[in-house]
Amino acid sequence: MTGSSRPGGEKGAEALWAEIDRLLESSLLPEDPVLSSALAESARAGLPPIQVSPTQGRLLQLLARALGARNILEIGTLGGYSSIWLARALPEGGKLVTLEIDPRHAELARQNLERAGLLDRVTIRRGAAIESLPRLAEEGLGPFDLTFIDADKESTLEYFRHALALSRPGGLIVVDNVVREGAVGDPGTRDPSVRGIQRFLAEVRRMAGVEATAIQTVGSKGYDGFLLARVPS
Ligand code: SAH
Ligand code: DHB
Ligand code: MG
C-alpha cells in the first residue's frame, strides 16, 4: 500500500491522506458512472474542485438514510455532487431543495442532476441563500429533516439560524469546513471565511437545546472538519 512511507514521513501527510482516501473509496464505495461524470463535467466547466469527497458524500447519504430524511435542504450546490449523494437517500416522494448563487454552477448542477435522473425530486433555487431561505417556509417547503450548510463561510451563522427555524424537531444540521487546516484556531486570522466560522462557533453553544459536536477530518480535501448539530425536539 504505502510502501515504506509513514504518517508524516517523506511522503508528506497530505499525500498519505489522499492515498488513504483512494483506498477507502475503492474498498467501500461502488464504481459510480453518474457521480464520476458529475465530477468530470464540473472539472471540464472549470468549477473549483471543492465538492465533498466521495467518502464524505457517502457520510451525508448515510446520515440522511439513518434519519429517514424525506425533506432535505442544502445551502451551496456547486455542480450538484453532494446533491446527488443526498437526493439518492430520499424515499419515494422525498424532496431536496438546494440553494446556489452562481448561475453557471446552478446550470451545471441541473445538467448533472438530470443525468442522474434526480430532477423529479430536486429543486435548485438560484440566488443568494440569505434571500431564498426566508421564502422557503412561506412556500411550504419545510420543515427539513436534514440541512447541509456548505456555501459562503462568512454567512454560516445566519444560515444556521435559518436552518434551525426551518428544521423539524430532532432534525440534523451538518456544517462543512469548520476547521480549515486549523486556521479556525487562529484568533488573529483576517480570512473572512475563517472569521465566519469562528463567529458561528462562538454562538452555537448559546443556542438553547442545540446539541452539537464537530469532527476533524483529513483526506483528499486536506485537513478540515464537519459540525453536526441536533435541533431540539
Ligand atoms: N455542496 C457542494 C459544494 C458547494 S461549494 C458539494 O459538496 O458538491 C460552495 C457553493 O456555494 C458554490 O457553488 C458557491 O457559488 C455557492 N455560494 C457562495 N455564496 C453563496 C450565497 N451567498 N448563496 C448561495 N450560494 C452561495
Ligand atoms: C472551499 C469551500 C468549500 O465548501 C470546501 O469544502 C472547500 C474549500 C473554498 O472556498 O476554498
Ligand atoms: Mg465545503
Side-chain angles (χ1 to χ4, degrees):
M1 167 200 90
T2 57
S4 64
S5 66
R6 320 165 255 112
E10 74 277 9
K11 177 185 284 269
E14 301 247 354
L16 179 62
W17 303 339
E19 181 179 339
I20 299 302
D21 247 353
R22 286 192 293 274
L23 169 74
L24 296 175
E25 286 160 27
S26 62
S27 307
L28 303 174
L29 308 181
E31 293 279 329
D32 195 313
V34 166
L35 286 166
S36 304
S37 85
L39 289 179
E41 292 302 317
S42 299
R44 203 159 68 96
L47 268 56
I50 55 175
Q51 64 281 333
V52 294
S53 68
T55 55
Q56 291 172 345
R58 174 72 105 186
L59 173 65
L60 293 173
Q61 185 176 77
L62 289 174
L63 291 170
R65 281 205 211 279
L67 279 165
R70 302 186 57 83
N71 231 347
I72 301 176
L73 172 63
E74 176 175 71
I75 308 177
T77 315
L78 194 64
Y81 183 75
S82 54
S83 316
I84 294 173
W85 280 106
L86 286 166
R88 283 175 166 179
L90 291 167
E92 195 63 38
K95 294 276 181 232
L96 168 75
V97 179
T98 183
L99 311 182
E100 175 55 55
I101 198 169
D102 187 318
R104 283 183 58 245
H105 297 182
E107 173 54 24
L108 198 79
R110 193 196 60 72
Q111 291 171 22
N112 284 332
L113 286 156
E114 183 170 48
R115 213 174 304 108
L118 292 167
L119 276 185
D120 58 341
R121 68 207 79 168
V122 178
T123 304
I124 305 165
R125 180 64 67 100
R126 297 172 195 226
I130 206 68
E131 286 168 23
S132 300
L133 284 163
R135 295 197 194 125
L136 298 180
E138 292 166 22
E139 293 174 24
L141 285 170
F144 296 97
D145 307 293
L146 172 64
T147 301
F148 179 45
I149 300 178
D150 190 22
D152 56 306
K153 314 307 165 193
E154 292 90 326
S155 306
T156 299
L157 175 59
E158 286 72 25
Y159 296 157
F160 190 88
R161 289 206 164 110
H162 279 284
L164 270 181
L166 287 163
S167 288
R168 70 143 159 98
L172 188 71
I173 303 173
V174 179
V175 183
D176 195 19
N177 309 118
V178 298
V179 173
R180 305 300 293 242
E181 298 178 324
V184 71
D186 174 5
T189 183
R190 300 177 61 169
D191 180 332
S193 298
V194 178
R195 290 174 72 115
I197 297 297
Q198 291 171 333
R199 194 166 63 90
F200 164 58
L201 288 177
E203 289 298 318
V204 187
R205 69 199 190 100
R206 288 213 276 266
M207 297 181 187
V210 173
E211 297 169 333
T213 191
I215 295 291
Q216 301 185 69
T217 58
V218 295
S220 56
K221 289 192 73 184
Y223 169 36
D224 214 321
F226 282 116
L227 181 139
L228 292 92
R230 183 182 184 274
V231 178
S233 326

